[in-house]
Amino acid sequence: MFVCTGFSTGAADQPLGLAKINRRDPGPRDIEIKIRYCGVCHSDLHAARNEWGNTVYPCTPGHEIVGEITRVGAEVTGFKVGELAGVGCLVDSCRTCSNCKDGLEQYCENGFTGTYNSPDAHLGGMTQGGYSSHVVVDQDFVLHLPENLDLAAIAPLLCAGITTYSPLRHWKVGPGQKVGVVGLGGLGHMGVKLAHAMGARVVLFTTSPGKSEDAKRLGADEVVVSKNAEEMAAHATSFDFILDTVAADHDVNAYLGLLKRDGTMVQVGAPEKPLAVSAFSVIFKRRNFAGSLIGGIAETQEMLDFCGEKNIVSDIEIIPIQKIEEAYARMLKSDVKYRFVIDMASLPEAA
Ligand code: NAP
Ligand code: ZN
Ligand code: ZN
């Protein structure tokens, strides 16, 4: 075991601050990464503040990790010291259940190990995430990064990228389809870029009229301000697919009513409180309301390779780790363009 530094919180009402974090020494199949950048996902905020009721403290968030490999175990193949690598939301799973065998580790029957706030089978306690100087991860959960893209701007692909890519692929979004993305935040802006790159006609729904120009630059064909009833009504019964990324309470029925017959709306945003679905929203037109959780490791690699080919990265604002609480406050005001990424060079070497 060795000790590194991180930014952690000890309670839902405490700000994050400098802390010591224990990491295991790399075993034969492990890779140690010196973290260069870590994206700031709204899930980090939900977890730090125990909004889902399952946080075990101390908690170090962060699951959009990119950095440089500093040590590899004797049995590691395909990764070398000095290379760049990424880690997303998963660091382990049972590998034997049918879902793991299908490459869907995020749906592991025996419970996947999350990058933070999951029981740590090696050290006891809970796993600690990427707001830290180093991480040690089994090689099967480490990703190769496209070499042609900006490193800091790749980081958000590890959660926001895969969480939007996976449902777009699963529901076979492509040319000839009209696709809605609800919310232009971290997930939403990746959803717009990816759905556009897959050839769909993309409509962005936002509560922030000031984001219209950006949405079009990012790949939206049309922008609808969701508070405007007339604009909403103009799109009734016209969508093949809608991806809802909203992190707070909102009316999903307003969007379900925009789906065509047999259309599907997928919830990826995870608000604290249950969403109210009117039975009639899905009874009429035989509509589907579904959910989707991140993506498996193979699909995450596929998404990174796709982004490399299509030159897709996240639009980011780099912050020093000391500004994390300010970043969370801005996220809550929907004031993020469109992902904060922590420059880990700002993290002091000793806690
Ligand atoms: P984010 O950057 O804060 O973006 C959320 C966006 O939702 C905001 O920018 C805003 O966009 C819109 N919004 C916020 N409050 C709203 C409200 N009251 N009513 C309507 N729209 C509102 O968050 P994120 O990092 O993209 O994460 C979004 C959600 O996805 C979080 O709940 C997160 O935990 C969850 N998540 C789920 C998965 C998964 O696997 N399913 C993975 C990662 C994250 P506009 O200004 O455009 O309206
Ligand atoms: Zn996330
Ligand atoms: Zn499994």
Side-chain angles (χ1 to χ4, degrees), residues 46 51-52 244-250 267-275:
H46 290 304
E51 288 174 358
W52 296 329
D244 184 337
T245 75
V246 174
D249 194 25
H250 63 293
Q267 190 63 39
V268 288
E272 193 175 349
K273 298 204 179 80
L275 297 162

Side-chain angles (χ1 to χ4, degrees), residues 93-100 105 107-111:
S93 71
C94 86
R95 301 147 194 250
T96 55
C97 74
S98 59
N99 290 344
C100 283
E105 299 87 355
Y107 304 121
C108 175
E109 304 282 356
N110 297 301

